[in-house]
């Protein structure tokens, strides 16, 4: 069974641009969540989607948004990029809502210049 | 709001010695606790979880964790560490609203 796939693996953008990251969950998984990982802030929760609905959202500005499609694939978008948005963005999927383990992708490394 | 604390940024042990990575939590409802490990240039991998039941939870790669409600702790342990256990370890808590919060992470270095 294929794991969680995130594309692209690396991205370089400049300030003010926008970016879209993609995540394909494990087949059959309906819950997708996104996290930002930085050396200074650690792992921070962005949002979680289940059956195309955003179920939970972290403390990030409105420039960060996401969506989930009917096939459970998810995208997150960051508009008006800032230098501080440079980070590793991780996507995770799980079968259902609740308490079972998350399966993480390898992440998208975003660098904002 | 829930939170997780990992008081040690780094843990260094010799191969064959016991390994402990500490975690304390704060959550308003029932705690659902997890440990994940991250190897260099990789995503996180699930090690184990506590939902309910036995306070001693056994997980992958010989790891186990002990849930202590009175001390609000969930320490990760391995009786005999391997060099290959060197990685970044995260404790996480998920509250009743399904929101997951991670600790800052503990870098484990196991020397041969």
């Amino acid at each position: 069974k294929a794991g969680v796939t995130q594309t692209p693996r690396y991205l370089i953008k400049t300030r003010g641009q926008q970016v879209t990251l993609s995540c394909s969950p494990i087949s059959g998984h309906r819950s997708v969540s996104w996290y930002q990982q930085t050396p200074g802030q650690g792992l921070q929760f962005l949002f979680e989607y289940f059956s195309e609905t955003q179920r939970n959202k972290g403390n990030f500005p409105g420039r960060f948004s996401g969506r989930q499609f009917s096939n459970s694939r998810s995208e997150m978008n960051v508009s008006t990029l800032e230098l501080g948005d440079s980070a590793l963005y991780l996507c995770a999927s799980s079968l259902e809502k609740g308490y079972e383990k998350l399966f993480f992708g390898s992440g998208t490394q975003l660098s904002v210049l | 709001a829930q939170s997780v604390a990992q008081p040690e940024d780094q843990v260094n042990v010799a191969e064959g010695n016991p390994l402990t990575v500490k975690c304390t939590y704060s959550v308003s409802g029932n705690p659902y606790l997890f440990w994940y490990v991250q190897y260099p240039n990789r995503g996180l991998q699930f090690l184990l979880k506590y939902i309910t039941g036995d306070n001693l939870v056994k997980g992958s790669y010989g790891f186990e964790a002990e849930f202590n409600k009175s001390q609000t702790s969930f320490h990760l342990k391995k009786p005999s560490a391997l060099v290959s256990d060197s990685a970044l370890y995260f404790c996480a808590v998920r509250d009743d609203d399904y929101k997951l919060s991670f600790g800052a992470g503990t870098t484990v270095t196991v020397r041969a």
Side-chain angles (χ1 to χ4, degrees):
Chain A
K1 186 183 266 190
V4 178
T5 303
Q6 291 188 248
T7 56
R9 186 70 180 90
Y10 300 95
L11 264 179
I12 299 176
K13 292 287 187 179
T14 57
R15 288 173 55 190
Q17 287 187 310
Q18 75 166 18
V19 66
T20 299
L21 311 182
S22 180
C23 172
S24 293
I26 291 173
S27 177
H29 285 195
R30 297 168 61 193
S31 174
V32 174
S33 49
W34 289 87
Y35 299 84
Q36 182 195 65
Q37 185 176 16
T38 59
Q41 299 296 320
L43 270 165
Q44 292 189 288
F45 172 80
L46 280 156
F47 26 65
E48 181 181 6
Y49 287 88
F50 179 78
S51 293
E52 301 179 66
T53 300
Q54 186 180 89
R55 184 165 62 190
N56 231 321
K57 191 177 190 302
N59 297 321
F60 279 81
R63 300 185 297 107
F64 291 82
S65 63
R67 59 178 176 170
Q68 187 180 32
F69 302 96
S70 59
N71 62 358
S72 294
R73 190 178 70 86
S74 177
E75 289 181 346
M76 68 163 281
N77 184 77
V78 188
S79 62
T80 319
L81 284 166
E82 300 177 0
L83 297 179
D85 296 334
S86 296
L88 178 66
Y89 290 88
L90 292 167
C91 166
S93 74
S94 62
L95 270 171
E96 298 282 346
K97 66 179 182 180
Y99 323 115
E100 68 283 351
K101 64 185 182 181
L102 300 180
F103 292 82
F104 282 82
S106 296
T108 294
Q109 184 68 54
L110 172 65
S111 297
V112 182
L113 306 178
Chain B
Q2 73 275 24
S3 65
V4 175
Q6 293 181 241
E8 300 161 317
D9 291 335
Q10 290 201 346
V11 170
N12 299 304
V13 298
E15 188 172 35
N17 282 0
L19 169 63
T20 298
V21 187
K22 295 180 180 177
C23 171
T24 59
Y25 67 90
S26 174
V27 64
S28 56
N30 294 319
Y32 302 98
L33 299 159
F34 304 81
W35 275 101
Y36 285 84
V37 59
Q38 186 176 34
Y39 298 100
N41 301 315
R42 303 270 295 275
L44 277 68
Q45 295 180 33
F46 171 85
L47 279 178
L48 49 79
K49 66 180 179 182
Y50 172 83
I51 305 301
T52 186
D54 194 351
N55 289 343
L56 185 64
V57 179
K58 294 190 182 296
S60 307
Y61 313 121
F63 284 94
E64 58 188 28
E66 186 169 11
F67 171 69
N68 188 317
K69 188 172 183 178
S70 63
Q71 297 186 3
T72 62
S73 67
F74 189 55
H75 301 330
L76 181 70
K77 300 179 181 182
K78 186 170 184 179
S80 179
L82 301 172
V83 172
S84 57
D85 294 328
S86 298
L88 181 58
Y89 290 80
F90 290 97
C91 181
V93 62
R94 189 165 195 167
D95 65 15
D96 288 342
D97 291 332
Y98 312 115
K99 190 173 178 179
L100 196 64
S101 296
F102 285 87
T106 299
T107 299
V108 170
T109 302
V110 182
R111 59 185 185 277

